[in-house]
Amino acid sequence: MPTLQEIASCVSGYDPNALPVAQAQAFIGRLVSGVAATERLPIRSALGRVLAGDIVSPINVPAHDNSAMDGYALRGSDLLVDAPTALDVVGTGFAGDARPGEVLAGQCLRIMTGAVMPAGLDTVVPQEFVTATEGKVSIPPGVVRPGDNRRLAGEDLAVGEAALRDGRVLRPADIGLLASLGQPEVAVRRRLRVAFFSTGDELRSVGEPLAEGCVYDSNRYTLWAMLQRLNVEVLDMGVVRDEPAALEAAFRHAAESADAVITSGGVSVGEADHTRHIMARLGDVLFWRIAMRPGRPMAIGRIESGGRAAILFGLPGNPVAVMVTFYAFVRDALLQMAGATHEPLPMLRAASVKPLRKKPGRTEYQRGIVSRAADGSWQVAITGSQGSGILRSMSEANGLVVLHHEQGDVAAGEAVDVLPFDGLI
Ligand code: AMP
Ligand code: MG
């Protein structure tokens, strides 16, 4: 396992005191690795879980050529191009019937959607196009071409083909696809265990009275909710006082119980020394000042206790900074640890309604409301105050405006990147 210093030496532009977001992400990508353990689950219990191993189709889906319409199955070569085609109807095929017997040239079979095509027949004419009388049909020229309205065996999935790839986070269509292969169970990676706690003597938990100078702990609730969306097992360790012994005990318990530990608070300049001392005993942890806003201070590394280790994400204390650093760094890292293959989140281009001030040399995440302009194109307006303590700005927003590292001021009407919350939060 490489040390943090070794990882840092592989990341270009590594400067712990002014670390660009992209470099921090690259570092974290090298630090974390996927869980190996797997379990087998009934397919309905596997929704949102990470597939372990490729799923290779054991059968052709569909198993036989079959009809895509209610109509008449025939030989394409029997069709006349400039006159009606007259054929004898020799029987009826229903969905679920075994393959019908031979149908000769000049004959056809009344057929229902999903019924197996008789050998040699390759075309279905929908019933609404034909004139049917006493065992015969007449098909006008030009209403059907050879090969129309027939589904081919294996056209959905061919036997031996990889239907789903290792690392796939299973979505509703995938659960149905597993069922279409006749699989009652599927192997998935074990769920990631993530412990989290808040630090700060000023924090009170919901339900407690709020003493003077105190605030309710919201970060533990936001974090819990964001973790639910990632389908990990959570361990809520509550609020930990800013006392070395209490913090050390909490970090030890977390390292012994979880794959990852997320803390909020206690990493800002005034408080980090405290945490640094404990980290020096428990593991290999770096303290960063990231070139971003909000969310500058962050601690990252590995902590160990009782022979067990966990990845530590020490997030800033401010409620908006917690969410932004979670989405900028922790989400991808947890997905990687869960063994999930994932693409970068898709962004929208939207015209900024107003000019935005932005200093090059840091990444800014402003809270925005995306809507349709009169001409149907996307526009985005920044929500009121952007202070990193103002959680309401996240609640009101429906996306994060991402102003990239090199980017400067934005003029009114200029397009910016927006990370929509829909599907994310
Ligand atoms: P810190 O990073 O610990 O210096 O905290 C920065 C700011 O965030 C302070 O105003 C804290 O009171 C506030 N804060 C820290 N943790 C929480 C929390 N769990 N819930 C709400 N506010 C918090
Ligand atoms: Mg604090």
Side-chain angles (χ1 to χ4, degrees):
M1 210 186 287
T3 65
L4 299 203
Q5 283 311 325
E6 283 163 356
I7 297 172
S9 67
C10 298
V11 173
S12 71
Y14 181 79
D15 170 1
N17 291 313
L19 192 60
V21 167
Q23 271 65 41
Q25 288 166 335
F27 184 104
I28 295 169
R30 288 172 183 269
L31 173 68
V32 303
S33 51
V35 295
T38 64
E39 57 182 322
R40 286 191 75 77
L41 292 178
I43 55 176
R44 282 184 179 167
S45 304
L47 181 64
R49 297 290 299 269
V50 179
L51 188 64
D54 292 348
I55 298 288
V56 175
S57 182
I59 55 172
N60 276 322
V61 181
H64 308 279
D65 290 6
N66 68 87
S67 176
M69 294 286 212
D70 289 344
Y72 295 86
L74 50 91
R75 264 185 188 74
S77 55
D78 279 350
L79 288 167
L80 303 177
V81 284
D82 45 14
T85 305
L87 300 172
D88 292 329
V89 184
V90 294
T92 304
F94 292 96
D97 287 353
R99 187 188 289 280
E102 206 184 352
V103 177
L104 306 173
Q107 298 180 335
C108 68
L109 184 78
R110 172 120 175 83
I111 197 162
M112 303 304 159
T113 304
V116 176
M117 294 286 283
L121 304 197
D122 55 11
T123 306
V124 173
V125 56
Q127 59 192 19
E128 53 271 27
F129 291 142
V130 310
T131 312
T133 41
E134 290 162 33
K136 287 188 184 305
V137 287
S138 171
I139 305 159
V143 297
V144 68
R145 286 163 307 171
D148 277 359
N149 305 314
R150 168 196 49 167
R151 303 170 181 151
L152 293 171
E155 73 173 21
D156 187 347
L157 292 168
V159 63
E161 194 183 327
L164 294 170
R165 293 281 182 195
D166 180 43
R168 171 93 175 174
V169 178
L170 295 169
R171 300 194 291 218
D174 306 328
I175 303 299
L177 197 128
L178 289 165
S180 79
L181 298 178
Q183 315 249 316
E185 289 185 345
V186 64
V188 295
R189 308 276 179 114
R190 79 156 166 82
R191 282 168 96 192
L192 208 61
R193 274 189 291 277
V194 182
F196 59 99
F197 59 87
S198 297
T199 69
D201 290 337
E202 77 282 25
L203 302 179
R204 293 291 174 273
S205 292
V206 296
E208 290 175 8
L210 200 59
E212 197 176 334
C214 293
V215 292
Y216 282 118
D217 170 14
S218 58
N219 289 343
R220 243 165 74 233
Y221 290 81
T222 315
L223 275 171
W224 175 87
M226 293 190 292
L227 290 169
Q228 293 301 309
R229 291 285 202 243
L230 291 183
N231 211 350
V232 298
E233 218 175 275
V234 294
L235 174 62
D236 180 352
M237 294 178 55
V239 174
V240 178
R241 302 273 156 243
D242 285 322
E243 291 160 12
L247 281 168
E248 178 164 346
F251 280 118
R252 283 192 184 281
H253 179 63
E256 287 163 19
S257 325
D259 303 299
V261 188
I262 305 174
T263 63
S264 70
V267 292
S268 55
V269 178
E271 296 184 312
D273 288 351
H274 221 45
T275 322
R276 264 178 226 270
H277 281 120
I278 302 165
M279 290 306 151
R281 279 200 295 283
L282 292 190
D284 195 3
V285 173
L286 299 172
F287 288 77
W288 286 344
R289 283 150 67 85
I290 301 175
M292 70 187 290
R293 211 171 131 154
R296 225 147 73 103
M298 191 171 149
I300 182 94
R302 283 190 206 102
I303 57 172
E304 272 180 47
S305 182
R308 311 256 335 248
I311 299 290
L312 169 74
F313 300 95
L315 307 185
N318 274 307
V320 180
V322 166
M323 295 195 77
V324 167
T325 49
F326 184 92
Y327 287 121
F329 306 111
V330 183
R331 180 181 181 277
D332 270 8
L334 294 182
L335 285 171
Q336 197 179 325
M337 292 176 74
T341 47
H342 56 285
E343 300 295 318
L345 291 165
M347 297 217 219
L348 212 73
R349 293 288 283 172
S352 180
V353 171
K354 292 201 171 145
L356 304 175
R357 294 188 67 82
K358 158 74 171 60
K359 268 200 214 155
R362 69 182 184 205
T363 308
E364 287 192 17
Y365 298 87
Q366 302 204 6
R367 279 72 72 201
I369 299 175
V370 179
S371 62
R372 292 275 193 194
D375 66 358
S377 63
W378 293 115
Q379 61 180 16
V380 63
I382 299 304
T383 61
S385 169
Q386 295 288 302
S388 67
I390 301 187
L391 191 52
R392 181 175 152 195
S393 67
M394 275 307 275
S395 178
E396 281 177 358
N398 62 6
L400 281 176
V401 176
V402 182
L403 301 174
H404 298 283
H405 190 84
E406 302 303 344
Q407 208 170 342
D409 288 344
V410 174
E414 197 179 323
V416 290
D417 276 337
V418 185
L419 201 53
F421 288 163
D422 259 351
L424 170 66
I425 298 186

